[in-house]
Amino acid sequence: MPDTAGKVDESRVAFLYASQTGNAESISYTIYEEAVKRGYKAEYHVLNDYKKFKFDELRTAVFVVSTTGDGDPPDNSARFWRALKKTARGETHKHLRYAILGLGDTNYSNFCNTAQRLDKQLGEIGATAFYKTGLADDATGLEEVVEPWIEGLWPAIAKELGKCSEPAGDDDGDSVGQSAAAAAADAMAKLTVSDGTKNEEEGDLATASSGGPSAYSFQPLALDFQPMATLKAITGAPRVPTQVCSIHRPDEEKEPTQRATAEQRDNLECPPWHAEITSDTPAQVPFLAPIKVAQRVTGDKALKRTLVVDLDVSAASGAVQDEWRAGDSFNVYARNDPHMVSALLERIGVDSAESQRPVFVRSSDDKIELPVQLRRFSSTPTTICSIFEWAVDITSSPRKQLLRALADYCSEPVDRDRMLYLSSRQGGATFDELRRQSPALVDILHAFPSCAPPTERLLDLLPPLAPRSYSICNAPQRDAGVWRFAFNVVEYELEVVDPFSSDEDGSKRNPVRVNRRGVCTPWLERLCKNVDASESVSVLVSLRPNLNGFRLPPPSDPRPVLMIGPGTGVAPFIGFLEQRAAELEADGCQAPLTWLFFGCRSSTDDYLFKHAIEQQKSACVLSQLSVCFSRDSAAREQLGVQRYVQEAMLLCEDEIGELLVAKDAIVFVCGDAKGMAKDVNAALADILCSYSVGHPTCITRLLPDVSDPAPLTRVQAIQVLSRWATERRYVRDLWA
């Protein structure tokens, strides 16, 4: 038991986060800001800093944690979880009172697993929850749970610490201007902003001039504000976050040197402050890796452009070289689109010269720390352009809190009221439609032309730009100095229905076309084109070891291995096969059965790693191969294969059932969580149920506590798969 006698500070409250994409970090910071504003002795930390904030001495803690992968905790909490696991069970932390807000996505099977697991383990060491756990679903909108949970947190903390729970100046709602409400059926009825042109036949269009650099094409929004006509007040909007960030100029005599340094760093394809990014784990310290080879591997007719890239990691530290394995992934520190950044900065009144001047970012309130992604700029100068390109997220779906804060910077009542409505309880349906359209920040500001937030305020409000993760698809046994990975260039088109356009009979509404692009993959594609032009290009990367058991067992393990990975989900299995081939060459032993299920659209346009897969099959490293083509009926008929991987599995249900039940096969799944992973999980459950019909004696093997030889029910089959997941016999590496 920790020696905490006399050390527990009864008045201290810690706001702790574990975040993979920045959402949990941003929400935790917002709550922390509010706590300081309310007069609490508050502090704010990432969970991995548990030694720094002396977790064992905490009296009151508020956790905001997300879930990544297949129910895994975020990377920046891994050390905390290892320490928590080693903590003695009992009443070692009976002094700790806590509250947990979990962020998750019901597209994944292990919804909010990190929060639920944390709640359980804190209870096991004697801690007590002082407030109900909140589980927010990103599939339906985090705000539906987050905002009410935060609202109820303050009375709970007040009861716990004896503080007043209402800050000065708070009110119950925002009024809607009478002129705006009266005009809702006319000028406020809808918002359709595209290229700045006005449809003369539709007088109720709210438009904005395109402005900004022509290199960025503003994307349209189509939103219906008709319900505002009957509103007298708006309620349920989130509180406006405290303004913290302030921008300072260096001393004049130092500025020329600092400006030159900043400009020199800006020429690199990595954050100018890359050398300052560290990790307590030596193998996970970021480093620069040159792009060695880049090749497009899909045909011109393929729906997606897929590239396979080799990074030269031979100059990485010995810790990286020694630790990485097939099945691991790595983070890429990507850059926001420079054209989008230029358009955004021009939109908020920062000209090109101003954007390149060195600045410091500091807190305007000594009691409140800066957001984590901005703290280095309090002592080391950078440029506003660099911050918006490398440090903050300007493309993710907007949160209500951002819209509520932006409303205060609208000079026109129409724009202000629309912003307030979008952030309110009454505007929930319109906000959901806004989220579906996935506008970037610059598109939102373009749609609300009178909104002019200061640069400092945006730095307060924007979440950190999180690195993107990619699976390594080779093995160190072949070449430890190369990381090979595959990615689809994320570009897609949305159809947004204009709610006020229709055919004469009213049967059809005309869609508005909206183009969206990812942050990292278009940037990587551009860099790869530079490689083709013989230019030296490096990117900042860091190893992300797979901690959930996504590892190929040694060839001495006789258990069969089933690998299921359509599309780019096949990437880690290419590394598995390379590893197995190297092991067999070295040991000369016979490999256990390996079976790959791979799916793509076409046999000719997007059959990724076809040569490598067929080569491993010919060498008997890969025992069985089941390939599926979802959009290639001719190939399906000619080869007698299925459309989807789950269909191919069900076609072999007897053989797979035997491997799973009688031979304890290990199942690996990699790919999309929303569709494929759920379908594969359902297919495995069906296979277990079907196998149990013909093999009633297997019931006791699958469910030792059940003596009834009746066939497995669907619920029981799902329970078996869940147990296998905890035993790492059923391991999934998924993304949404």
Side-chain angles (χ1 to χ4, degrees):
M1 176 178 178
D3 181 13
T4 59
K7 296 182 179 179
V8 175
D9 188 343
E10 298 288 335
S11 64
R12 174 187 174 208
V13 55
F15 295 88
L16 312 173
Y17 69 88
S19 183
Q20 194 68 33
T21 63
N23 277 334
E25 179 179 347
S26 179
I27 292 170
S28 179
Y29 183 77
T30 298
I31 304 173
Y32 154 75
E33 278 185 313
E34 181 71 12
V36 174
K37 183 179 177 182
R38 290 170 178 266
Y40 291 108
K41 184 180 178 181
E43 50 192 74
Y44 167 69
H45 303 283
V46 63
L47 275 177
N48 265 353
D49 286 346
Y50 68 95
K51 290 182 179 178
K52 175 183 176 182
F53 62 78
K54 299 180 180 179
F55 173 73
D56 292 337
E57 299 176 16
L58 287 181
R59 163 62 170 75
T60 308
V62 177
F63 298 84
V64 182
V65 295
S66 63
T67 297
T68 186
D70 190 25
D72 305 314
D75 296 346
N76 57 12
S77 64
R79 291 195 304 275
F80 169 80
W81 281 102
R82 287 196 292 269
L84 185 60
K85 186 177 181 180
K86 295 177 182 177
T87 302
R89 270 31 186 175
E91 297 188 350
T92 57
H93 288 71
K94 64 181 180 181
H95 54 279
L96 176 61
R97 308 273 289 174
Y98 67 88
I100 299 174
L101 174 60
L103 311 184
D105 190 326
T106 47
N107 287 308
Y108 292 79
S109 57
N110 292 315
F111 173 64
C112 280
N113 187 58
T114 303
Q116 298 186 67
R117 180 181 163 200
L118 179 61
D119 190 21
K120 180 176 183 290
Q121 295 202 18
L122 290 177
E124 290 175 353
I125 61 174
T128 305
F130 71 84
Y131 182 51
K132 64 183 180 181
T133 296
L135 303 178
D137 184 7
D138 195 38
T140 58
L142 295 174
E143 284 85 359
E144 290 185 9
V145 171
V146 170
E147 298 300 341
W149 189 88
I150 295 175
E151 185 178 347
L153 174 67
W154 301 119
I157 289 183
K159 184 178 179 180
E160 194 67 21
L161 298 179
K163 295 274 187 174
C164 175
S165 65
E166 281 299 324
D170 185 48
D171 54 32
D172 294 328
D174 296 282
S175 62
V176 177
Q178 292 299 315
S179 61
D186 185 18
M188 291 192 62
K190 78 173 170 177
L191 170 66
T192 305
V193 180
S194 54
D195 60 358
T197 60
K198 185 177 179 70
N199 185 337
E200 298 296 338
E201 297 180 359
E202 295 187 278
D204 61 355
L205 278 179
T207 63
S209 61
S210 59
S214 59
Y216 178 75
S217 176
F218 293 97
Q219 298 302 305
L221 293 176
L223 300 172
D224 183 5
F225 289 92
Q226 183 77 30
M228 288 187 67
T230 58
L231 287 182
K232 294 182 179 179
I234 284 173
T235 59
R239 298 185 191 278
V240 178
T242 304
Q243 183 165 340
V244 176
C245 295
S246 62
I247 294 176
H248 300 265
R249 305 293 178 194
D251 294 338
E252 285 298 324
E253 62 269 19
K254 297 179 181 178
E255 188 173 334
T257 300
Q258 290 166 332
R259 178 186 293 121
T261 302
E263 288 174 354
Q264 181 182 10
R265 289 179 174 179
D266 279 345
N267 291 330
L268 298 174
E269 285 296 341
C270 62
W273 49 87
H274 67 89
E276 303 170 23
I277 305 175
T278 61
S279 171
D280 293 337
T281 305
Q284 296 178 42
V285 174
F287 61 94
L288 289 169
I291 297 177
K292 189 175 182 180
V293 179
Q295 180 183 8
R296 178 174 173 174
V297 293
T298 49
D300 293 337
K301 295 181 180 179
L303 185 62
K304 300 177 181 178
R305 298 193 306 280
T306 304
L307 278 72
V308 173
V309 177
D310 283 9
L311 295 180
D312 182 355
V313 298
S314 58
S317 68
V320 174
Q321 300 281 357
D322 294 341
E323 186 164 320
W324 81 271
R325 298 289 183 270
D328 283 342
S329 56
F330 65 94
N331 290 322
V332 176
Y333 294 78
R335 182 185 195 180
N336 284 315
D337 180 358
H339 298 306
M340 179 186 290
V341 171
S342 295
L344 174 60
L345 293 180
E346 181 165 334
R347 174 63 181 78
I348 62 176
V350 179
D351 62 31
S352 178
E354 183 74 7
S355 73
Q356 297 297 335
R357 291 186 65 195
V359 298
F360 292 108
V361 180
R362 292 176 177 143
S363 176
S364 58
D365 188 332
D366 293 339
K367 296 180 181 179
I368 303 179
E369 292 186 272
L370 286 171
V372 173
Q373 70 272 17
L374 301 176
R375 289 179 187 173
R376 62 170 51 89
F377 310 132
S378 64
S379 57
T380 302
T382 187
T383 67
I384 292 174
C385 182
S386 292
I387 294 174
F388 278 91
E389 284 188 346
W390 294 101
V392 294
D393 185 346
I394 61 174
T395 62
S396 61
S397 296
R399 292 178 54 217
K400 285 187 176 183
Q401 191 173 65
L402 170 66
L403 299 174
R404 173 60 190 88
L406 291 178
D408 289 345
Y409 298 97
C410 294
S411 58
E412 293 294 333
V414 167
D415 285 342
R416 175 184 181 274
D417 290 341
R418 284 173 169 170
M419 284 279 201
L420 289 174
Y421 178 70
L422 284 169
S423 67
S424 72
R425 184 177 298 114
Q426 293 88 344
T430 309
F431 174 74
D432 289 344
E433 176 57 25
L434 176 69
R435 273 174 47 92
R436 191 187 74 80
Q437 296 180 31
S438 301
L441 173 62
V442 68
D443 297 322
I444 294 173
L445 294 178
H446 180 63
F448 295 86
S450 75
C451 184
T455 306
E456 296 95 326
R457 198 64 176 119
L458 290 182
L459 296 183
D460 280 329
L461 298 168
L462 293 173
L465 179 60
R468 270 51 174 177
S469 180
Y470 298 93
S471 297
I472 301 173
C473 58
N474 60 305
Q477 290 86 345
R478 290 300 191 197
D479 189 349
V482 170
W483 284 351
R484 181 171 299 119
F485 68 108
F487 64 89
N488 295 323
V489 180
V490 179
E491 293 179 340
Y492 59 97
E493 184 179 78
L494 288 174
E495 280 196 2
V496 180
V497 175
D498 181 343
F500 286 81
S501 67
S502 65
D503 290 344
E504 291 183 1
D505 62 359
S507 62
K508 182 180 180 181
R509 290 176 173 176
N510 299 324
V512 177
R513 304 288 181 179
V514 181
N515 296 309
R516 299 296 183 211
R517 305 175 78 230
V519 172
C520 190
T521 56
W523 172 73
L524 283 173
E525 183 183 37
R526 177 177 61 81
L527 298 186
C528 290
K529 291 178 180 177
N530 292 340
V531 172
D532 293 340
S534 300
E535 295 183 20
S536 177
V537 183
S538 295
V539 294
L540 189 67
V541 298
S542 61
L543 179 64
R544 189 179 175 218
N546 200 309
L547 303 177
N548 70 346
F550 207 89
R551 290 279 191 272
L552 184 68
S556 58
D557 189 330
R559 292 177 296 175
V561 173
L562 305 182
M563 302 172 288
I564 304 158
T568 54
V570 75
F573 303 135
I574 303 303
F576 278 8
L577 294 174
E578 275 196 12
Q579 174 185 329
R580 180 54 50 87
E583 290 169 342
L584 295 178
E585 289 175 8
D587 299 337
C589 59
Q590 184 174 356
L593 182 141
T594 53
W595 191 344
L596 173 64
F597 290 84
F598 171 70
C600 58
R601 288 177 173 82
S602 166
S603 61
T604 56
D605 294 326
D606 58 357
Y607 189 160
L608 305 182
F609 302 103
K610 179 179 180 181
H611 175 71
I613 291 172
E614 292 181 345
Q615 187 178 47
Q616 301 288 21
K617 180 70 169 60
S618 299
C620 297
V621 174
L622 178 61
S623 310
Q624 292 179 238
L625 172 64
S626 296
V627 180
C628 308
F629 304 115
S630 61
R631 309 290 173 84
D632 193 339
S633 57
R636 289 201 305 272
E637 292 180 9
Q638 180 182 357
L639 301 174
V641 299
Q642 302 302 303
R643 184 187 297 267
Y644 300 113
V645 290
Q646 62 269 23
E647 294 176 355
M649 293 167 62
L650 291 171
L651 194 66
C652 306
E653 62 179 16
D654 291 341
E655 188 174 358
I656 293 176
E658 180 73 13
L659 294 174
L660 292 174
V661 179
K663 297 187 178 181
D664 297 327
I666 305 173
V667 181
F668 295 97
V669 183
C670 184
D672 168 49
K674 291 184 177 180
M676 179 278 299
K678 288 184 176 181
D679 292 337
V680 166
N681 194 70
L684 288 170
D686 289 343
I687 287 170
L688 289 177
C689 291
S690 177
Y691 185 81
S692 69
V693 172
H695 303 79
T697 57
C698 79
I699 302 301
T700 55
R701 181 178 176 87
L702 294 173
L703 297 171
D705 297 333
V706 176
S707 57
D708 185 0
L712 280 181
T713 66
R714 183 63 176 266
V715 172
Q716 289 174 325
I718 296 296
Q719 290 173 345
V720 170
L721 292 174
S722 296
R723 189 181 79 246
W724 287 352
T726 62
E727 297 170 353
R728 296 188 172 179
R729 272 195 58 194
Y730 178 34
V731 192
R732 306 194 298 177
D733 189 359
L734 308 177
W735 57 81

